[in-house]
Amino acid sequence: MQFKHPEFLYFLFLLVIPILVHLFQLRKFKKELFTNVKFLKELAIQTRKSSKIKKYLLLATRLLLLTALIFAFAQPFFKANDSQNATNEMYVILDNSFSMQAKGKKGELLKRAVQDLLEHTPENVNFSLLTNSDNYYNSTIKTIQSDLQTMQYSATPFQIDNLLAKINARKSAFNKDIIVITDAVGLKSNQLKSFKKEDNVLFYIPEAEQQNNISVDSVFISQTLDNFYEISVKIDAFGDNNKDIPVALYNRNKLVAKTVVSIDGQSKTINFTLPKENFHGYVSVSDNGLEYDNTYYFSVTKPEKNNVISIGAAEKQGFLSKIYTEDEFNYTNYTLSTLDYNSIDKQDAIVLNELTDIPQALQTTLKSFVEKGGNVVFIPSPESNVANINTFLAGFGSIQFKSLVNAEKVVSKINFSHPLFQSVFEKKVDNFQYPNTKSSFDVASNASIVLANNDQSPFLSSLQNGVASVFVFSAPINKANSNFQNSPLIVPTFYNMAQNSQKTGVQSYIIGKNQWSIVETLLSKDEIVSVKNSQDSQKGNFIPVQQILNNKVKLSFNDNPNLAGNFGIYNASTLVNDISFNYDRSESNLSAVSENVAADFKKLNDIETIFDTIQTDRTDSQIWKWFVLLTLLFLVIEVLIQKFVK
């Protein structure tokens, strides 16, 4: 027990006064003589005994009364268990990602958490609130009440390590109370390493009542026909009871197709056949789970011919002219001596086929070409200068050629998940007729391997910069060195390497992934392009980061827009291109909750308990009021003794 005002304890010496009063009574007994004193003497003895007991009771009562009164003024208390953290700064991390749309016992998890904060956060508590999208520093619950009530779900997935970095960046002499409110969907233990040992961390993890959810994962073109193209829609299912799911396809808000599917496994792909026209719409499903992932927006531009040139000896380009046919490609072959450098910027893909040397001027031009969204395919020659090759490839990534090895290798591994083959094979095949090579270069690379040899060395690698790719073969593919030209792989490989996704692919970007896009438009020095929502010109509009590249503009979207939907890229009032944005699907699986991820931290069952726990652990137990009550009690006891004890 400790005292707030211990100086009052000096008054305990006053206890001597009632003791002295009772020990030195000034009143003396006077003897009186009576004729018959037998009875009176006995009565006198009785009275003296009773008076002596009464005096001792009064002495004890007065001593206790005075002691209790002095202790009350000294204000005794018991020190709190967590008093060393009484000066802590408070931070509340609130997960407002889309997984918090799930419904708990009292409604949507986020809305319930917000309501609990409004109801149970003490009004006099100063704290900072951090969410996926907004930060409120040094506020009170009344200050941010309106912001909490209008809080929207964030397109940014919950990344607690990023929020902790913001907290740790705020230097302070005090420790921190960090209250984390999240459903823990996708939360990893390594994200919690940023917590400091001296911080007091409290977790509240609300639970969803049911974890069933249907998500439209992606849309891609699976097949291109003469007048139609077939798009594939991948739908993911989480949980049970995923039977008879309605799927609808809309083009410019008009229903063009509808079907009902049953999903027996974890995912299912359904196909729609559409005419080769511009498409600017979305596909949607209906379920009782999360809402944010039920709609997938995408745009498809009416296919245009891709411009492709090959550079190399004419006699080695015959297989390319058979792949790049006139109905889909504008294809031309040049030798180094006849190459028109001015035509390079107009191409979508360039094939360097067995050049023994790549001039420095061409290297510089091709590097700029790739930065503007053009694909480059490099096929080495047996007589290639290795140093020259490495100088050229160093401008695109980490890949280096070594010496030519005269040993037969079999191309035996296909990267089916690579974008080059993603829509080529319906399923993985094992009994494929794989090609071989008689000689090839050893390659040291960290690049993505598209095709690999039987010794795990790369046969075809790809280097990507976000808007374009550089494809690198490790061996010549002429008929004298390889039978790759006769392989079934030759057509889809070279066909897809020459495709410009801006012209022939699905235009759909994930919000927050900071992806790039290249559009063809002429801008003057002071002009810019803007991105506008197709449905509401005032909703979600923004100006992207942009770089002018001659007749093209390279766009970066960062974390924009805030809302998913169909948009248009505009040069002033002129529509340049259709584009679509979607939310990240990483939080669609509500069952991806690691229950033990916060096992090393204190977990509480509700928000009210969190604040009560902090206040209880930090509040000293003041007991001076009990001594005031004891003082009054002893005063009453003294009165009763005076009245009833004879």
Side-chain angles (χ1 to χ4, degrees), residues 392-404:
F392 168 63
L393 294 178
F396 304 109
S398 177
I399 183 168
Q400 292 287 288
F401 272 55
K402 298 181 180 180
S403 59
L404 182 69

Side-chain angles (χ1 to χ4, degrees), residues 319 351-353 377-381 389 393 399 401 411 420 437 440-441 443 451 458-462 470-477 484 489-490 493-494 497:
F319 73 100
V351 182
L352 305 179
N353 191 9
V377 182
F378 174 75
I379 306 170
S381 166
I389 293 175
L393 294 178
I399 183 168
F401 272 55
V411 182
L420 205 61
T437 57
S440 60
F441 288 90
V443 176
L451 296 172
F459 172 70
L460 174 61
S461 305
S462 71
V470 176
F471 299 97
V472 180
F473 285 89
S474 64
I477 59 172
F484 186 71
L489 283 173
I490 185 71
T493 300
F494 275 87
M497 286 192 297

Side-chain angles (χ1 to χ4, degrees), residues 144-310:
I144 62 173
Q145 179 177 353
S146 60
D147 294 303
L148 282 173
Q149 290 173 334
T150 58
M151 179 176 292
Q152 301 297 318
Y153 292 98
S154 171
T156 305
F158 183 61
Q159 299 289 337
I160 193 171
D161 47 348
N162 294 341
L163 298 177
L164 287 175
K166 294 181 181 180
I167 293 176
N168 294 332
R170 296 179 65 85
K171 302 300 181 182
S172 172
F174 304 103
N175 294 333
K176 301 176 180 67
D177 292 322
I178 302 178
I179 301 170
V180 183
I181 305 172
T182 176
D183 58 0
V185 171
L187 189 63
K188 305 297 182 184
S189 58
N190 62 340
Q191 296 177 341
L192 306 181
K193 293 181 180 179
S194 298
F195 283 115
K196 296 181 179 179
K197 292 182 179 179
E198 60 269 22
D199 291 338
N200 178 43
V201 182
L202 300 168
F203 269 84
Y204 169 52
I205 303 178
E207 297 181 0
E209 283 196 306
Q210 61 93 13
Q211 298 178 341
N212 295 337
N213 186 45
I214 300 294
S215 169
V216 183
D217 178 77
S218 58
V219 176
F220 55 92
I221 296 177
S222 56
Q223 188 176 8
T224 302
L225 305 174
D226 291 338
N227 298 314
F228 298 90
Y229 54 78
E230 186 176 74
I231 65 167
S232 294
V233 179
K234 184 185 177 186
I235 300 176
D236 290 335
F238 306 100
D240 303 321
N241 303 319
N242 295 320
K243 305 293 184 181
D244 299 332
I245 304 300
V247 182
L249 183 66
Y250 293 83
N251 185 12
R252 303 190 184 277
N253 293 325
K254 293 183 179 180
L255 180 65
V256 295
K258 191 172 185 178
T259 186
V260 176
V261 298
S262 295
I263 305 175
D264 298 324
Q266 294 182 344
S267 65
K268 188 168 186 175
T269 301
I270 59 174
N271 300 321
F272 294 96
T273 301
L274 299 173
K276 276 188 176 179
E277 301 292 340
N278 290 343
F279 186 96
H280 195 49
Y282 58 91
V283 61
S284 67
V285 299
S286 298
D287 74 330
N288 295 321
L290 302 178
E291 296 180 5
Y292 88 98
D293 55 6
N294 288 353
T295 303
Y296 193 94
Y297 299 92
F298 67 100
S299 304
V300 181
T301 304
K302 182 179 179 180
E304 301 177 22
K305 287 186 178 183
N306 284 294
N307 301 319
V308 182
I309 63 172
S310 62

